[in-house]
Amino acid sequence: MKSTALTSTHEALGAKMVPFAGFNMPVQYEGVNIEHETVRSAVGVFDVSHMGEFLIEGEHALDLIQKVTSNDASKLTIGKAQYSCLPNETGGIVDDLIVYRIKEHTYLLVVNASNIDKDWNWISNKNDVGASMRNLSDDYSLLAIQGPKAVEAMQSLSSHDLSAIKFYNFIVGDFAGIEHVIISATGYTGSGGFEIYCKNSEVKQIWDTIFEVGADFGIKPIGLAARDTLRLEMGYCLYGNDIDDTTSPIEAGLSWITKFSKDFTNSKALKAEKERGSERKLVAFKLDERGIPRQGYDIVDGNGNKIGNVTSGTMSPSLGIGIGLGYIPTIFADIDSKINIQIRKKTIPATVIKLPFYKE
């Protein structure tokens, strides 16, 4: 079991620690609903240092990234980031990731913790263009400072105007007394804020300073359980739940990051799938009656026939209703369509809705 540089800090704060993606991680401190509400109304801090970071450099760095990712990284200018995925050869997804353009020929790829080795091997095996690759995952920490008060609470810690960092943009600058950290705005919660990438040796100083200046703003540490409820209210996919090696980006609703203006792994097959239409789709639904949909529960039609399964589900802390995502045949997938969730021996009616679940 790996630890982050802040594991002892979380333990001292009384966090409930659980194994997650091979790491010992804080799942909650005070409780999921309290932590969720803190991020929706004020400011909270996640330690997400388990995520992986790969540095791709050199004259052919972009060539490699264009070949392995679905989105068009040639559109990135320095200081911009892009959500993308790594398609596999069989119509599925190796991982989803964020691509940062740091310098002209330098890119940072941020990948999911559970897929670090898998992604590294996948990209390495595709690297026939001589791009330089470095796996920085064990040396860097990542904090996500999220919530509507994040910028105001943290502005005193940087000489840069944090409010000027637009969504999916970043700067390299000073923060909490540390020079040359990445400050980005690629939030996974839907409540604003930013992320800090720094060296493991720097993260404790940054964490302590964040909580000093954030005290007047009600800042709290937030666990991974609330991160999951926050992202689900926005309808953001979670790798291993809503997307995986067997789900295509087209059926997952990720056509917007799948650009056929270039060739990439399996692009011909994915283009054909988009043109003919997928047989199934990932849909968002809300329960019409009380209940909590959970991952793995069956989705059934009006006659009780199984038509799909729930990939992510919870009781929404913000909305007070059961919400979820799941794959069903396209014929059932129109907005306002009625489906049913099998919760143990009960069949609970649900309605297909347009994302996001939570709107400010």
Side-chain angles (χ1 to χ4, degrees):
M1 190 73 60
K2 290 183 177 179
S3 294
T4 75
L6 291 171
T7 295
S8 58
T9 302
H10 303 310
E11 290 170 342
L13 288 167
K16 180 183 178 185
M17 307 294 286
V18 299
F20 182 83
F23 286 79
N24 189 23
M25 297 297 291
V27 68
Q28 64 180 55
Y29 300 83
E30 290 182 74
V32 179
N33 287 357
I34 294 171
E35 293 168 32
H36 181 108
E37 176 54 29
T38 296
V39 175
R40 285 281 180 250
S41 63
V43 57
V45 186
F46 304 83
D47 176 14
V48 280
S49 303
H50 58 317
M51 300 291 280
E53 293 88 15
F54 305 155
L55 202 65
I56 313 291
E57 294 183 287
E59 195 181 336
H60 297 291
L62 179 61
D63 296 334
L64 174 59
I65 292 165
Q66 289 288 70
K67 186 161 72 164
V68 298
T69 64
S70 62
N71 210 335
D72 186 359
S74 72
K75 302 291 187 192
L76 285 173
T77 53
I78 295 166
K80 290 196 178 295
Q82 182 184 74
Y83 181 55
S84 193
C85 76
L86 303 171
N88 63 23
E89 309 277 9
T90 54
I93 299 171
V94 178
D95 201 5
D96 61 337
L97 73 161
I98 299 177
V99 181
Y100 292 81
R101 189 172 187 182
I102 308 290
K103 297 176 186 172
E104 186 180 357
H105 298 303
T106 303
Y107 296 81
L108 182 70
L109 310 187
V110 180
V111 303
N112 285 298
S114 54
N115 292 333
I116 291 172
D117 292 340
K118 179 176 108 172
D119 293 357
W120 178 262
N121 293 335
W122 179 264
I123 299 168
S124 297
N125 288 334
K126 300 282 185 186
N127 184 15
D128 56 7
V129 293
S132 166
M133 293 178 59
R134 279 196 288 160
N135 187 350
L136 307 178
S137 305
D138 290 339
D139 303 318
Y140 277 77
S141 292
L142 171 56
L143 301 179
I145 307 166
Q146 296 284 292
K149 295 183 182 177
V151 169
E152 186 187 0
M154 296 296 119
Q155 183 54 67
S156 65
L157 297 184
S158 180
S159 62
H160 298 272
D161 181 0
L162 301 180
S163 67
I165 306 173
K166 294 175 182 168
F167 198 44
Y168 269 80
N169 284 245
F170 70 94
I171 60 167
V172 180
D174 62 289
F175 189 82
I178 305 292
E179 297 291 334
H180 307 301
V181 301
I182 294 174
I183 309 172
S184 71
T186 63
Y188 194 51
T189 65
S191 282
F194 48 91
E195 302 80 45
I196 302 293
Y197 294 84
C198 63
K199 293 175 183 171
N200 289 342
S201 58
E202 300 165 339
V203 72
K204 182 65 164 68
Q205 176 181 323
I206 292 176
W207 176 277
D208 289 345
T209 310
I210 284 170
F211 279 90
E212 271 175 44
V213 303
D216 292 341
F217 296 88
I219 198 168
K220 291 182 179 181
I222 314 293
L224 293 180
R227 189 169 174 82
D228 193 47
T229 55
L230 288 156
R231 71 91 195 167
L232 182 51
E233 286 186 347
M234 297 307 296
Y236 296 148
C237 288
L238 176 64
Y239 194 90
N241 283 44
D242 315 300
I243 51 175
D244 58 31
D245 289 297
T246 69
T247 60
S248 88
I250 309 303
E251 65 187 10
L254 297 177
S255 293
W256 63 280
I257 63 163
T258 311
K259 302 291 170 60
F260 299 111
S261 53
K262 59 164 197 169
D263 289 327
F264 57 86
T265 307
N266 206 39
S267 57
K268 286 194 177 84
L270 290 174
K271 186 178 183 184
E273 181 188 345
K274 184 176 182 181
E275 287 169 353
R276 73 173 178 269
S278 300
E279 292 180 8
R280 63 174 192 165
K281 283 176 77 172
L282 183 67
V283 298
F285 63 85
K286 62 176 184 176
L287 297 190
D288 299 336
E289 298 174 8
R290 190 150 183 84
I292 305 176
R294 301 286 188 197
Q295 183 189 16
Y297 284 4
D298 287 350
I299 302 175
V300 299
D301 65 15
N303 297 316
N305 301 307
K306 181 179 175 179
I307 57 171
N309 63 282
V310 177
T311 56
S312 288
T314 194
M315 173 65 71
S316 164
S318 300
L319 308 175
I321 57 172
I323 61 170
L325 301 173
Y327 285 95
I328 57 175
T330 304
I331 54 169
F332 295 98
D334 289 341
I335 301 301
D336 296 328
S337 294
K338 295 296 181 181
I339 55 174
N340 301 278
I341 312 301
Q342 193 67 45
I343 301 181
R344 293 180 285 280
K345 292 182 179 177
K346 278 181 131 180
T347 304
I348 307 291
T351 304
V352 175
I353 69 160
K354 186 179 179 183
L355 288 168
F357 296 103
Y358 172 81
K359 299 174 182 71
E360 286 184 75

